[in-house]
Amino acid sequence: MNMKCSFKKIKWLLFLSISICCVWGYGQESNFKISPYFNGLAILKEPFLEIGPEFEKDNLIIRTLIRLSVADKKNSIALIDKNTASWTSILEAELKKDLTKETGPIKSFNLGLRLEWGIEKFTYYPAGNSENKVETWKNAFAFEVKGVWYQMQGKSFDPQWAPQFKIRYGRIWKKSDETGIVIPTTDGSPYIVNNMIIDPPVTSPVLTFAFALPYYPGENKYSFCPALYYNFIGEKNSNTPFRNSGRLRLETWTFFYPTNPANFRIGVAPYISFRTHGTDDADGFL
Amino acid sequence: MGNGGRNFKVGLKSIEGTINLFYAFINGKKIISGTGLEPQQWSGELPEGETRLKVRVTGIDEAKYTLTVELPGTANNKQFTFSLKGGYHEYEMQL
């Protein structure tokens, strides 16, 4: 792989993103106990709902979930029936270990592994008219490994660190863009343009490396988190992510923790994103 | 924990600011290890003789939390409110 990074080609994207994120997370999660080692889990992350059982014993958690699109967004209802056009199955394992004792440093770690496999129906009209409809089902899959480490020395004013990483490979299908089909008229009236999808769905494999370093200095109400992401994006409909383009992104988060409400923070993140090689669809001001 | 016969319940809850982690130990044995985002509690029987409870809490700056100790049939319930200092606080008591 030959990575060329020309500063003349770098498009400086300075974007101030203000995120008001409750430390509960940006989704809604409901966890209820079924038996001593089994819980029921429902996680709503619009526009998807993930539901399924969770096994938890000692330091190990295993989840088998199914992800559905939210059919009724107003009431957050997802459904699966013969008309369901897409769903994804998820197998997730998490190892949590807390190493903290009655005295000494406070430290813990999490390691997670996640496998996703899904199926989705796509419809397109290669002839440019609604009579010639083609329906096709495509498989998508993704694989993810992540880890978090937390540490502080266990004294007032000691800094707190939580380095974390994630590696994800995904090959997800998406529908092609619509094309305007001109429909001529015979009575002299203006032509009609009908927007239709005429190309089959496409996929590009993406391999992402992410690393973040949350840091609290031990005083004041601010914490900081630089985060680095690198995406390898492969050619369309291929399996390898290394032969098309690469994108590097650096985010510099600063969080403020108000006194009230409890467990609430506000974050601001100037970021820069630039292609290192090839072309992708993410150019432009984001 | 042993057959001491004294029922015991301890609770930790964030009330102001941001709490990251709650820990509680009985005679050095960890009984609570959890996030400060939600209340944490433990109930069980205390061992015979002197029993030492220690809590350790991490968070941001001078966040506040409450410690609730219940000894049904033995002593009155107690509730303490503590403030972190520099993102950390610990407290120890004899039961």
Side-chain angles (χ1 to χ4, degrees), chain A residues 160-180:
Chain A
Q160 299 176 34
W161 301 89
Q164 48 202 262
F165 76 93
K166 183 162 78 174
I167 302 171
R168 181 178 172 93
Y169 172 84
R171 192 170 183 271
I172 310 297
W173 291 85
K174 65 175 185 177
K175 60 184 177 183
S176 293
D177 293 334
E178 289 182 336
T179 300

Side-chain angles (χ1 to χ4, degrees), chain A residues 23-24 98 100-104 106 150 152 154-157 160 216 218 220-221 257-260 262-264, chain B residues 14-21 23 25 28 30 33 36-37 52 54 56 58-61 85-88 90:
Chain A
V23 293
W24 289 276
D98 191 289
T100 303
K101 294 185 171 41
E102 194 182 22
T103 57
I106 299 208
Y150 174 85
M152 66 135 13
K155 298 178 203 169
S156 292
F157 301 103
Q160 299 176 34
Y216 172 62
N220 300 321
K221 289 184 169 59
Y257 300 81
T259 302
N260 285 302
N263 293 326
F264 185 82
Chain B
S14 170
I15 56 171
E16 196 176 284
T18 295
I19 300 289
N20 289 332
L21 295 167
Y23 293 96
F25 303 83
K30 197 186 308 179
S33 165
L37 297 180
R52 186 179 76 255
K54 180 171 181 178
R56 305 181 76 187
T58 75
I60 302 295
D61 200 29
K85 196 171 180 184
Y88 178 76
E90 62 180 50

Side-chain angles (χ1 to χ4, degrees), chain A residues 43-55:
Chain A
I43 305 171
L44 178 64
K45 296 180 189 173
E46 291 275 2
F48 299 110
L49 176 67
E50 295 179 359
I51 54 173
E54 174 184 90
F55 169 81

Side-chain angles (χ1 to χ4, degrees), chain B residues 28-83:
Chain B
K29 180 175 178 179
K30 197 186 308 179
I31 56 170
I32 290 177
S33 165
T35 173
L37 297 180
E38 53 197 30
Q40 301 288 336
Q41 64 180 38
W42 180 88
S43 58
E45 283 191 0
L46 295 179
E48 292 263 355
E50 268 196 9
T51 303
R52 186 179 76 255
L53 168 69
K54 180 171 181 178
V55 298
R56 305 181 76 187
V57 182
T58 75
I60 302 295
D61 200 29
E62 297 180 344
K64 290 184 180 174
Y65 70 99
T66 57
L67 165 66
T68 306
V69 175
E70 298 177 24
L71 286 159
T74 305
N76 294 331
N77 295 346
K78 294 179 182 173
Q79 185 174 70
F80 308 91
T81 298
F82 296 113
S83 178

